[in-house]
Amino acid sequence: MQDQPIHVSGARAPTRRALLATAVTAAAGLALGTSAAGGARPASAAAGPRTALPAAVVTNKVYTVSTRNTSASSTYPRTEFRGLWTASVLNIDWPSRTGLSAAAQQTELRSILNLAVSRNLNAVFLQVRPAADRMWSSTLGEPWSRYLTGTQGANPGYDPLAYAVEQAHSRGLALHAWVNPFRVSMDADLTSLVASHPARLNPSWSFAYGGRRYYNPGIPAVRAFVRAVVVDLVRRYDVDGVHFDDYFYPYPVAGQALPDAATFAAYGGGYTSIANWRRNNINVFVRDTYAAIKATRRRAAFGISPFGIWLNSTSSALGSATSGLESYSALYADSRKWVKEGWVDYILPQLYWYQGYPPANYDVLVAWWARQVAGTRVKLYTGEAAYRVGDPAQPAWQDPNELRDHITKGRSVPGVVGQAFYNTTAFRANPLNAIGILAARHYARPALPVPLPHLVSARPWTPLIRSVSWYGSGILLTWESKSGAEPPTHIAIWRWESSGAAVPNIQSTATYLRAVRRRTGLTQSWRDTGVVRGRTYWYLIQSVSQTGIDSGSATCVFIRA
């Protein structure tokens, strides 16, 4: 039979001596529990040996603490972005093929989210606009994606983005809507699009290049339309972020010139260089999209994953010591400027090369990007190539420790605060057990979201522990969390074994972080099966907002299991 919970009683004012002894405020006490037979028993009664407890700590009393530890840990960072890219274009990751039923698509999506949770990731980038189509309900004219049903414009029978947001949030994961801004189709034929497609209705908006079709970023109406699509998404869905990939102007194709000379003549203004004009088109688009997102949903993060090389040092003294393709020149993506101007909340360069690769050394590029975000409010996450593990053409990628060592490197460089892995299929397949090795080394504990105080810096209410009890084979922890002015979105739960020598401070690492739960209501519970009956533990909880800001205080309780 399950034990009855140990409930927290009303507030109890601390004595001056207690304050001096513990440097905390005693917020509430815990009443005695009741045995199954109805008789009173001490709440700490349990099987196992007993030890005397220090007088400064009272078993089963809930304390409110505000003092914080200051130590850091590269093994168990308190906050870290850990993302997973899930591509829908060409059915790379999800759905696994076209024509699956709504139920089958939802099952696959839940499986991806469960995979992220099982590896202690905390965010998923779901590609919901792979090619000027959509995976959400909209009235702006873009059709349902062909990658859902096999037929462009066919209703899949549910709202994939709404379902993804709900399912991700229920698992404590952030859901970022991944948007490809200018790709129209994976083939060049305009007539392959449904008749109602905006690109068909506005044939001058797009051009064919390299066997595919793209919106022309040089046309102001195109930029305004794509921005409106993003605003529509952000206005109507509780996404945690909007994410652009590396496709702005298309990657160059040998022997082909971009067909935008007429556009330059019409809209070039005072520009004499078509290259500078193209870069400005993208800069204006990024700047205005950032502003539009913030005006619509202030808490939604906006980030971009550019090609990993901005400029080589042979092209600019500001560039990196590399010799690969330059996004500044080839894609007209001035990603360094986006960082310096603060037009993104995070930058996630695709560093898909191994350590020591001569044209684009991973270590060199990590350090270069860290220097670019220094002194800005932009967060730096590294894009990791899970899909390259096991590549027989490159011996370095046959080393199962390569990705593990990438994370080790990143954590040693100030400014790097997270990672993301491309793609989901490779991450799940886990070639050479590289993901397993990486996770065992670096993701043994969950991590809290990276704070974005420039979005909303207000702190959420401190959650209050209301009861603890032995429940079946573990401890059931129940708490109460108010919304207040800044609603909490997550509850962070720490637990560690202790003799109770002193009331703890707020934890500054994830060393003892056991779970990060989505806040779904006033009262919630969590069951901890990792404890041993008869031993003594501290539990400490905090709330965290959508922008990663934690409560100013935490509540904690010392118990005997």
Side-chain angles (χ1 to χ4, degrees):
M1 181 177 291
Q2 297 158 354
D3 292 349
Q4 299 298 310
I6 306 161
H7 295 286
V8 178
S9 67
R12 177 181 301 170
T15 65
R16 181 175 180 274
R17 180 173 179 177
L19 282 172
L20 293 174
T22 64
V24 297
T25 301
L30 289 176
L32 295 179
T34 304
S35 69
R41 61 164 173 80
S44 59
R50 293 179 177 276
T51 57
L53 298 175
V57 172
V58 179
T59 309
N60 303 322
K61 176 184 285 188
V62 172
Y63 295 90
T64 299
V65 297
S66 56
T67 303
R68 295 170 179 251
N69 289 344
T70 57
S71 60
S73 172
S74 60
T75 303
Y76 304 117
R78 175 185 165 93
T79 63
E80 186 171 54
F81 187 92
R82 300 173 183 172
L84 182 63
W85 274 295
T86 298
S88 58
V89 67
L90 301 177
N91 299 103
I92 291 172
D93 292 320
W94 178 85
S96 61
R97 58 182 176 84
T98 60
L100 292 177
S101 68
Q105 290 180 21
Q106 291 171 355
T107 297
E108 286 191 353
L109 186 55
R110 291 194 306 272
S111 177
I112 290 168
L113 300 176
N114 290 339
L115 171 66
V117 170
S118 71
R119 293 300 194 186
N120 276 335
L121 306 185
N122 54 23
V124 170
F125 299 108
L126 182 64
Q127 191 176 38
V128 295
R129 189 178 182 267
D133 51 10
R134 59 181 168 84
M135 295 187 174
W136 72 90
S137 296
S138 174
T139 59
L140 295 184
E142 289 195 318
W144 285 104
S145 176
R146 70 174 76 245
Y147 301 114
L148 292 169
T149 64
T151 302
Q152 189 174 71
N155 192 317
Y158 73 112
D159 187 327
L161 179 55
Y163 186 78
V165 169
E166 186 273 327
Q167 290 293 314
H169 286 178
S170 71
R171 289 163 172 78
L173 296 169
L175 196 289
H176 291 241
W178 171 9
V179 169
N180 183 290
F182 297 114
R183 183 168 58 209
V184 172
S185 178
M186 296 299 285
D187 63 61
D189 184 6
L190 191 61
T191 63
S192 69
L193 305 173
V194 294
S196 61
H197 196 292
R200 290 277 306 265
L201 299 177
N202 301 277
S204 65
W205 278 13
S206 66
F207 55 72
Y209 181 78
R212 297 179 180 176
R213 181 160 290 275
Y214 300 91
Y215 276 133
N216 188 338
I219 300 175
V222 165
R223 300 195 300 267
F225 174 74
V226 176
R227 187 167 62 251
V229 169
V230 172
V231 169
D232 172 67
L233 185 161
V234 171
R235 176 181 293 119
R236 291 155 71 264
Y237 295 86
D238 186 23
V239 293
D240 300 281
V242 172
H243 180 74
F244 285 173
D245 50 35
D246 54 322
Y247 291 93
F248 293 95
Y249 279 90
Y251 277 82
V253 176
Q256 295 190 31
L258 288 173
D260 62 347
T263 311
F264 179 50
Y267 299 106
Y271 281 93
T272 58
S273 163
I274 193 170
N276 289 339
W277 170 75
R278 288 169 179 162
R279 268 185 294 275
N280 183 66
N281 293 332
I282 301 304
N283 287 340
V284 168
F285 173 68
V286 169
R287 180 199 66 194
D288 292 351
T289 300
Y290 181 84
I293 290 172
K294 294 299 172 274
T296 306
R297 186 181 291 275
R298 185 179 172 194
R299 292 170 177 80
F302 177 49
I304 299 177
S305 57
F307 184 77
I309 299 173
W310 172 69
L311 275 174
N312 299 312
S313 57
T314 52
S315 299
S316 168
L318 298 174
S320 54
T322 52
S323 58
L325 181 141
E326 300 168 316
S327 61
Y328 179 93
S329 305
L331 307 177
Y332 306 100
D334 193 354
S335 48
R336 182 178 182 273
K337 184 177 181 67
W338 309 338
V339 170
K340 297 302 184 182
E341 296 291 342
W343 294 340
V344 290
D345 299 308
Y346 66 85
I347 197 79
L348 179 48
Q350 298 176 21
L351 305 183
Y352 294 167
W353 304 285
Y354 59 81
Q355 292 177 305
Y357 179 57
N361 186 332
Y362 177 88
D363 291 354
V364 167
L365 283 163
V366 168
W368 184 87
W369 280 101
R371 290 194 296 273
Q372 308 319 303
V373 301
T376 76
R377 64 190 185 187
V378 177
K379 306 303 180 185
L380 171 60
Y381 316 139
T382 58
E384 303 295 338
Y387 75 98
R388 285 195 162 169
V389 175
D391 182 356
Q394 300 189 67
W397 285 112
Q398 297 174 45
D399 180 354
N401 297 318
E402 179 69 26
L403 278 184
R404 179 203 67 185
D405 294 344
H406 284 199
I407 311 307
T408 302
K409 172 63 178 180
R411 287 184 178 175
S412 73
V413 176
V416 178
V417 291
Q419 313 84 34
F421 299 90
Y422 184 83
N423 53 44
T424 293
T425 299
F427 191 86
R428 183 193 297 278
N430 188 22
L432 308 181
N433 192 35
I435 301 302
I437 292 170
L438 179 155
R441 174 70 175 271
H442 295 300
Y443 295 166
R445 291 279 182 267
L448 298 180
V450 172
L452 299 171
H454 66 282
L455 300 186
V456 178
S457 60
R459 292 193 183 277
W461 285 95
T462 300
L464 178 62
I465 296 172
R466 284 300 187 190
S467 67
V468 286
S469 64
W470 184 266
Y471 189 91
S473 59
I475 290 290
L476 186 68
L477 179 72
T478 301
W479 63 88
E480 185 178 286
S481 58
K482 298 179 181 179
S483 289
E486 183 60 25
T489 58
H490 295 87
I491 303 295
I493 307 167
W494 283 265
R495 183 263 296 160
W496 64 96
E497 190 170 358
S498 172
S499 64
V503 177
N505 296 331
I506 295 174
Q507 299 295 289
S508 59
T509 74
T511 305
Y512 303 121
L513 186 61
R514 303 297 170 174
V516 182
R517 290 290 178 265
R518 186 79 179 183
R519 194 258 186 183
T520 57
L522 179 64
T523 302
Q524 290 177 263
S525 298
W526 175 69
R527 186 182 177 197
D528 182 9
T529 58
V531 295
V532 177
R533 195 72 155 135
R535 295 185 180 176
T536 51
Y537 301 91
W538 276 108
Y539 283 92
L540 183 147
I541 64 173
Q542 270 187 295
S543 58
V544 183
S545 73
Q546 190 171 27
T547 59
I549 308 302
D550 64 16
S551 51
S553 301
T555 58
C556 57
V557 61
F558 181 70
I559 67 159
R560 188 183 302 278

